């Protein structure tokens, strides 16, 4: 009765860990959460006020399927001011989060069997969404020794007559690493072969060292995916957007009309406030994440995790744990049951993530300290047998 499409889509493992942790909490256990990639901060006040104002003014109706023009203009201005690129607001489509944007892009680009090159490890939903629309994910392994950079030489042999796109995500989930200018340049040169570059820029702004680049600085043969969930602490608001090459705008608009109609009207007003008024609050959040990052990297090393290259962005650390266990799922469950610390197993991010544990620093420093202490104590006991 149930379709193969629904039967075959894998679960999002991190959500399963979270659900187990919540069940333990219901039984009275105190759990330290370092698993979910969700900011602990409340949404900045100016953003909430803008939404409340829009609600009070009766902005409770459908909007243009591509989003209200003022938000699309604000997004175009944001890309101009931050990256020096010109974006026509008519190429911007506002969506209910970046996840629907990914779905719309792949559905607009892939016929059954068409291929998308993805990094392994990489964000687990990418291959699942590609497969959901009957495309084929083709994975290129990236390695910790060089900060999980894509290697042009390793991508080239994977390109076939069916390759439509290559996806990049910098700063990356789960590695927290930034693609260097050179890797961006090499990858964008693939656009000359007719490939589209799909750049998930959702962690832009969450950068502590170095500088992130938008794909639009390199090529227009590209899609940008971005959203408000992470940088503005707006996960529950469900607001994101895509910037598409001109020829894709109309097909994507038609899908948006049929599948989602439009993004939430008053939430779009909140998006304008985020882009134009929340600078100070964002800087404060970024400063706090960086403090946590600088605390956690040496502490995780001290208790035995391996971090070959320090992550420079997002709010994740992908730490080597092969010497503790080769089965990251079993190890994450072991840490949850025995140390009451919830972490994400690397296998959630593909075979290249096996043997790793992803730590998320989206909890306050006190909480993180408690987590590290618990892990340290448990791992020491474990090593004594
Ligand atoms: N892309 C990446 C890399 C992510 O980590 C996430 C959230 N975990 C998303 C997209 C989806 O974000 P949202 O739908 O909340 O915008």
């Amino acid at each position: 009765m149930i379709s193969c499409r629904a039967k075959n889509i894998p679960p999002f493992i991190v959500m399963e860990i979270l659900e187990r942790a919540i069940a333990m909490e219901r039984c009275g256990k105190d759990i330290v959460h370092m698993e979910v990639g969700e900011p602990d901060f409340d949404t900045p006040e100016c953003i909430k006020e803008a939404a409340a104002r829009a609600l009070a003014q009766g902005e409770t109706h459908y909007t243009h399927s591509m989003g209200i023009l003022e938000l699309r203009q604000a997004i175009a201005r944001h890309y101009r001011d931050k990256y020096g690129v010109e974006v026509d607001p008519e190429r911007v489509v506002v969506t209910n989060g970046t996840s629907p944007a990914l779905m719309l892009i792949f559905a607009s680009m892939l016929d059954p069997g068409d291929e998308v090159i993805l990094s392994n490890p990489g964000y687990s939903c990418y291959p699942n969404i590609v497969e959901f629309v009957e495309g084929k994910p083709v994975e290129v392994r990236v390695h910790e020794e060089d900060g999980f950079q894509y290697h042009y030489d390793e991508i080239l042999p994977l390109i076939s007559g069916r390759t439509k796109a290559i996806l990049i995500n910098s700063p990356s989930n789960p590695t927290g690493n930034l693609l260097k200018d050179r890797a961006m340049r090499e990858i964008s040169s693939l656009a000359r072969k007719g490939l589209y570059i799909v750049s998930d820029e959702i962690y832009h702004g969450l950068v502590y060292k170095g500088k992130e680049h938008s794909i639009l600085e390199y090529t227009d043969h590209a899609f940008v995916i971005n959203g408000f969930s992470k940088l503005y602490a707006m996960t529950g608001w469900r607001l994101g957007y895509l910037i598409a090459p001109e020829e894709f705008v109309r097909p994507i608009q038609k899908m948006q009309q049929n599948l989602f109609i439009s993004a939430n009207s008053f939430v779009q007003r909140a998006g304008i406030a985020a882009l134009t008024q929340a600078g100070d609050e964002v800087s404060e959040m970024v400063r706090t994440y960086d403090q946590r990052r600088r605390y956690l990297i040496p502490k995780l090393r001290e208790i035995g995790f391996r971090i070959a290259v320090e992550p420079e962005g997002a709010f994740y650390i992908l730490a080597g744990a092969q010497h503790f266990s080769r089965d990251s799922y079993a190890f994450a469950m072991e840490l949850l049951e025995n140390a009451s610390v919830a972490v994400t197993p690397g296998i959630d991010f593909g075979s290249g993530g096996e043997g790793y544990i992803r730590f998320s620093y989206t909890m306050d420093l006190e909480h993180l300290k408690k987590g590290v202490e618990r892990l340290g104590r448990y791992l020491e006991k474990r090593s004594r047998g």
Side-chain angles (χ1 to χ4, degrees):
M1 278 311 220
I2 296 165
S3 72
C4 295
R5 179 178 285 133
K7 264 192 292 205
N8 294 343
I9 191 162
F12 195 6
I13 294 177
V14 61
M15 298 313 286
E16 307 230 272
I17 300 273
L18 174 66
E19 285 155 20
R20 173 77 193 121
I22 291 171
M24 289 170 71
E25 281 170 335
R26 242 184 263 119
C27 297
K29 277 256 183 209
D30 173 53
I31 306 292
V32 172
H33 290 275
M34 296 167 90
E35 78 282 43
V36 189
E38 164 152 53
D40 54 323
F41 300 106
D42 192 11
T43 304
E45 215 48 51
C46 60
I47 300 176
K48 292 203 278 188
E49 279 165 11
R53 233 179 358 259
L55 270 176
Q57 287 168 359
E59 288 207 43
T60 54
H61 302 278
Y62 294 139
T63 70
H64 190 291
S65 62
M66 288 168 61
I68 56 179
L69 185 59
E70 293 90 330
L71 176 56
R72 286 188 279 141
Q73 286 168 335
I75 291 165
R77 264 197 311 276
H78 173 70
Y79 267 75
R80 191 194 58 209
D81 296 347
K82 182 157 185 189
Y83 306 104
V85 297
E86 285 305 322
V87 173
D88 182 350
E90 293 303 319
R91 287 173 49 207
V92 178
V93 180
V94 179
T95 53
N96 287 105
T98 57
S99 310
L102 279 163
M103 177 80 188
L104 288 169
I105 289 173
F106 290 133
S108 71
M109 179 199 286
L110 304 177
D111 282 317
D114 282 347
E115 297 171 3
V116 179
I117 295 178
L118 307 167
S119 75
N120 177 10
Y123 179 49
S124 35
C125 299
Y126 296 146
N128 299 345
I129 297 174
V130 168
E131 280 179 342
F132 196 74
V133 297
E134 297 181 56
K136 191 171 157 224
V138 174
E139 293 178 345
V140 57
R141 279 297 281 270
V142 289
H143 309 280
E144 65 173 12
E145 299 75 26
D146 59 1
F148 300 99
Q149 297 287 306
Y150 267 120
H151 282 290
Y152 185 70
D153 304 349
E154 292 177 30
I155 295 174
L156 273 186
L158 299 177
I159 295 175
S160 77
R162 299 304 302 266
T163 310
K164 283 282 183 72
I166 165 160
L167 191 142
I168 61 174
N169 172 220
S170 165
S172 141
N173 180 6
T175 70
N177 284 108
L178 283 172
L179 277 182
K180 301 271 177 288
D181 177 57
R182 182 172 159 200
M184 295 281 292
R185 204 171 294 283
E186 286 175 345
I187 291 166
S188 53
S189 75
L190 295 169
R192 286 199 289 274
K193 293 185 186 291
L195 264 72
Y196 288 95
I197 317 299
V198 178
S199 177
D200 182 349
E201 303 185 352
I202 190 168
Y203 292 103
H204 277 215
L206 293 166
V207 173
Y208 317 107
K209 263 178 156 183
K211 187 174 180 304
E212 71 276 46
H213 292 283
S214 171
I215 191 63
L216 299 180
E217 295 171 50
Y218 301 86
T219 177
D220 275 332
H221 209 256
F223 292 83
V224 165
I225 295 164
N226 207 333
F228 296 79
S229 289
K230 313 288 176 173
L231 187 62
Y232 302 100
M234 289 176 70
T235 42
W237 294 69
R238 312 307 305 131
L239 188 65
Y241 57 90
L242 61 87
I243 304 171
E246 212 176 297
E247 64 273 25
F248 277 89
V249 173
R250 180 64 184 150
I252 287 176
Q253 179 184 12
K254 286 189 293 168
M255 278 193 291
Q256 169 89 333
Q257 290 169 344
N258 279 282
L259 297 175
F260 307 112
I261 301 189
S262 75
N264 319 41
S265 48
F266 53 94
V267 170
Q268 295 187 52
R269 290 282 166 206
I272 298 173
L275 289 171
T276 58
Q277 294 169 33
D280 291 347
E281 289 90 336
V282 165
S283 302
E284 185 56 28
M285 289 191 273
V286 172
R287 203 184 56 74
T288 308
Y289 287 130
D290 189 30
Q291 207 181 16
R292 297 172 184 175
R293 182 186 74 99
R294 281 183 284 118
Y295 164 76
L296 209 50
I297 293 171
K299 284 291 175 195
L300 288 176
R301 282 178 172 152
E302 243 170 63
I303 61 172
F305 288 95
R306 214 190 50 253
I307 302 166
V309 177
E310 292 193 1
E312 300 168 335
F315 31 56
Y316 306 112
I317 298 171
L318 190 68
Q322 294 86 348
H323 45 296
F324 292 124
S325 170
R326 301 219 149 255
D327 181 340
S328 60
Y329 186 82
F331 187 50
M333 280 299 178
E334 182 187 329
L335 296 178
L336 180 59
E337 299 295 337
N338 296 288
S340 300
V341 178
V343 293
T344 307
I347 191 67
D348 202 12
F349 307 100
S351 55
E354 185 52 299
Y356 291 85
I357 292 292
R358 188 194 71 174
F359 294 89
S360 191
Y361 43 94
T362 48
M363 282 290 171
D364 65 42
L365 212 49
E366 285 314 303
H367 206 80
L368 297 179
K369 280 182 184 160
K370 188 156 86 172
V372 167
E373 272 162 30
R374 285 184 187 179
L375 288 174
R377 240 180 291 126
Y378 174 67
L379 291 173
E380 205 184 300
K381 197 167 105 198
R382 186 182 192 263
S383 73
R384 278 193 260 108

